[in-house]
Amino acid sequence: MSKNKTSVMERFIAFMEKYFEPIAAKIEKQRHIQSIKNGMIALISVLIIGSFSLIISAIGNMFPEGTAVKTFFVNNAEILNLPFQFTFGLLSLYAAVTISYNHAKQLKVPILHSILGAVMTTITLNTKFIDGKLSTEFLDSRGLFIAIFGSLLAVEIIHFFIKKKVTIRIKGLPDGIAQTFEAIVPLVVILFLSVVISLSMQAITKGQIIPEAFTTMLAPAINSIDTPYAVFLICFFEMLFWFIGLNGYAILVGFVMPFMTQYLGANAAAYAAGEPIPHVFAPNFWDYFMGFSGSGITGALVLLALFSRSKELKAVGKASVVPAVFTISEPVVFGLPICYNPYLFIPFVLGTPIIAVGQWFVFHLGWVRPPIANVGGTPIPLAQYLATMDWRAIILIIFVLAAATLMYYPFFKMYERSLVKQESEVSARQAAHDALDLDF
């Protein structure tokens, strides 16, 4: 690489370190973003349980009509679908628990009562009475955004009242009972505020609650993340963060996960009903296709490193095989390294989003079924099949790995040559040193 190109890259890295890295680090540490991110991560167990119940039902559909297995699955479809309904069907409720728990820990307010306030808010804003019966249909992924902001608001209200000491305080009571009395005033405010907001929305929208109105009025905005432009930008910024040494996924997931989780809920429901899959950008699209074998499709670099002439690169390749199977990219990002490596900036930061957009179109055009289940922690390539229940996903990732390998190859070779040259120089110096020792 020429001195001119190197100096340009060095100036760019210095610019990123000075202006971009502090902003990214600040965003990641913002308390509301942290609570959302940690709360959504805690939901993964619920998503996996619901996803595997959906996969079990899907396996039954693979058998021919008339077989005993197929008949069993058809006759017991409602029972087999119960785990899905009790996980994805109540996703907003689980989110209220996990997000309020994490936010209460940050603000150091009573956790149990914060969860109660968040659940109260979520149920009040996401349900309504129809003919005297409580309708809970919007407690699924469609009520997720209300659960997120309602939970944060509930905890903030509790924090405000406790901080300002606008509570019922009775001296001499045990801590648990004292906290219960302290929570009464803020919980009353939270409940009445939620009721007023819900009734006001229903009055304005002629009977629609907030998530219902959002579904109707804000559908274009909600769907806007599931576009090739959004895929490119999200992937680009993730790679850019990784390149400067920050976990791009961890920074962006707080913003993106609510959308993806909502899309996964819609996809799973559509698949269960035998309808077309509406979205591409579900969680496992990011995890197992955009980030196939690790963020930046680093499995391609692992493959190249295994056959490298550089001893250093070959050692990193061997150590990174198993992590790559579980889509863990850190050994490559920090061990190869990719981070602050001018040779790999172009393919990693610019090339990866292009491949991601290509995959989005493959799913969007129906060549491969989009993800309908969350199978986090499953090794590749099994994860790609289970996430989509489509064997063509395996063929897709073969092409993705081949494309990424070709994309990285010329840049990797430039980097390899520089390392081989350094290793040769070190070997020559060591040989000269050994010869000098022998002379003595």
Side-chain angles (χ1 to χ4, degrees):
M1 188 173 285
S2 68
K3 289 183 180 179
N4 186 45
K5 287 183 179 178
T6 303
S7 62
V8 170
M9 183 59 70
E10 287 174 348
R11 287 200 299 271
F12 177 76
I13 290 173
F15 174 83
M16 296 296 289
E17 284 180 323
K18 185 176 180 180
Y19 296 105
F20 200 63
E21 186 174 1
I23 295 172
K26 203 169 192 179
I27 289 172
E28 188 182 15
K29 291 176 182 177
Q30 204 277 335
R31 71 183 189 188
H32 298 93
I33 296 299
Q34 276 194 329
S35 296
I36 294 171
K37 179 185 72 176
N38 294 333
M40 297 304 293
I41 289 171
L43 278 181
I44 290 175
S45 57
V46 176
L47 296 174
I48 290 174
I49 293 168
S51 296
F52 274 107
S53 70
L54 188 65
I55 289 169
I56 291 170
S57 299
I59 290 171
N61 295 329
M62 295 168 63
F63 288 87
E65 293 288 343
T67 60
V69 176
K70 179 74 172 182
T71 303
F72 172 82
F73 274 86
V74 171
N75 293 340
N76 296 279
E78 288 188 10
I79 295 174
L80 293 170
N81 201 37
L82 281 177
F84 171 78
Q85 296 298 337
F86 285 122
T87 50
F88 279 89
L90 297 173
L91 199 59
S92 297
L93 215 51
Y94 295 121
V97 173
T98 58
I99 291 169
S100 61
Y101 171 81
N102 283 282
H103 204 49
K105 281 179 64 180
Q106 283 204 76
L107 297 183
K108 296 180 181 177
V109 295
I111 292 174
L112 178 59
H113 298 100
S114 296
I115 292 173
L116 289 175
V119 169
M120 200 181 290
T121 304
T122 300
I123 292 175
T124 305
L125 296 178
N126 283 337
T127 64
K128 63 179 178 178
F129 284 93
I130 301 175
D131 298 327
K133 295 181 179 179
L134 187 66
S135 172
T136 60
E137 61 176 310
F138 284 95
L139 286 176
D140 61 6
S141 60
R142 290 172 293 178
L144 192 59
F145 279 98
I146 304 305
I148 291 170
F149 294 111
S151 300
L152 295 175
L153 179 61
V155 178
E156 291 285 352
I157 289 173
I158 291 174
H159 178 252
F160 174 81
F161 275 77
I162 291 176
K163 185 178 179 181
K164 299 296 182 181
K165 297 182 180 179
V166 186
T167 58
I168 298 174
R169 289 174 173 268
I170 302 175
K171 293 182 179 180
L173 291 176
D175 288 343
I177 298 175
Q179 285 184 0
T180 298
F181 278 97
E182 268 194 328
I184 290 175
V185 173
L187 285 177
V188 168
V189 172
I190 288 167
L191 178 58
F192 276 91
L193 182 61
S194 301
V195 170
V196 169
I197 292 171
S198 181
L199 292 177
S200 300
M201 176 58 73
Q202 290 182 56
I204 294 170
T205 60
K206 297 180 180 179
Q208 290 187 327
I209 54 176
I210 297 175
E212 195 175 7
F214 278 2
T215 302
T216 303
M217 296 184 297
L218 302 180
I222 292 172
N223 289 332
S224 64
I225 196 173
D226 195 19
T227 67
Y229 308 106
V231 169
F232 183 90
L233 287 174
I234 290 167
C235 191
F236 170 79
F237 282 112
E238 183 195 3
M239 298 305 107
L240 198 56
F241 284 129
W242 276 115
F243 187 80
I244 61 175
L246 300 172
N247 188 322
Y249 185 91
I251 292 169
L252 295 173
V253 72
F255 296 101
V256 180
M257 184 63 84
F259 287 98
M260 293 194 301
T261 304
Q262 181 173 331
Y263 296 158
L264 179 62
N267 285 5
Y271 184 76
E275 298 171 355
I277 310 301
H279 298 290
V280 175
F281 207 157
N284 283 169
F285 171 71
W286 192 354
D287 299 336
Y288 290 117
F289 294 95
M290 271 176 61
F292 169 61
S293 70
S295 296
I297 319 177
T298 48
L301 285 169
V302 173
L303 190 63
L304 291 169
L306 287 173
F307 298 97
S308 175
R309 293 185 295 116
S310 164
K311 294 178 182 178
E312 182 181 328
L313 292 177
K314 186 170 283 190
V316 172
K318 289 177 180 178
S320 303
V321 171
V322 174
V325 171
F326 288 90
T327 67
I328 299 170
S329 57
E330 280 85 347
V332 180
V333 173
F334 299 113
L336 200 67
I338 295 173
C339 182
Y340 293 109
N341 187 335
Y343 290 99
L344 299 175
F345 175 83
I346 291 174
F348 186 74
V349 177
L350 300 177
T352 306
I354 294 172
I355 293 179
V357 170
Q359 292 184 83
W360 185 90
F361 276 108
V362 169
F363 288 113
H364 182 69
L365 295 171
W367 296 348
V368 179
R369 180 187 292 124
I372 49 93
N374 192 313
V375 291
T378 306
I380 59 175
L382 182 61
Q384 281 76 15
Y385 173 74
L386 292 178
T388 60
M389 294 306 293
D390 189 342
W391 60 269
R392 293 172 297 182
I394 308 297
I395 297 174
L396 172 61
I397 60 170
I398 292 171
F399 278 102
V400 168
L401 182 61
T405 303
L406 288 173
M407 172 186 74
Y408 277 118
Y409 182 79
F411 302 95
F412 178 85
K413 281 298 181 184
M414 285 191 290
Y415 180 47
E416 180 188 55
R417 281 196 295 271
S418 70
L419 288 183
V420 169
K421 184 179 179 181
Q422 291 174 24
E423 290 171 4
S424 298
E425 290 172 354
V426 170
S427 297
R429 284 198 297 270
Q430 185 63 46
H433 184 271
D434 291 344
L436 190 60
D437 287 342
L438 286 173
D439 288 340
F440 285 99

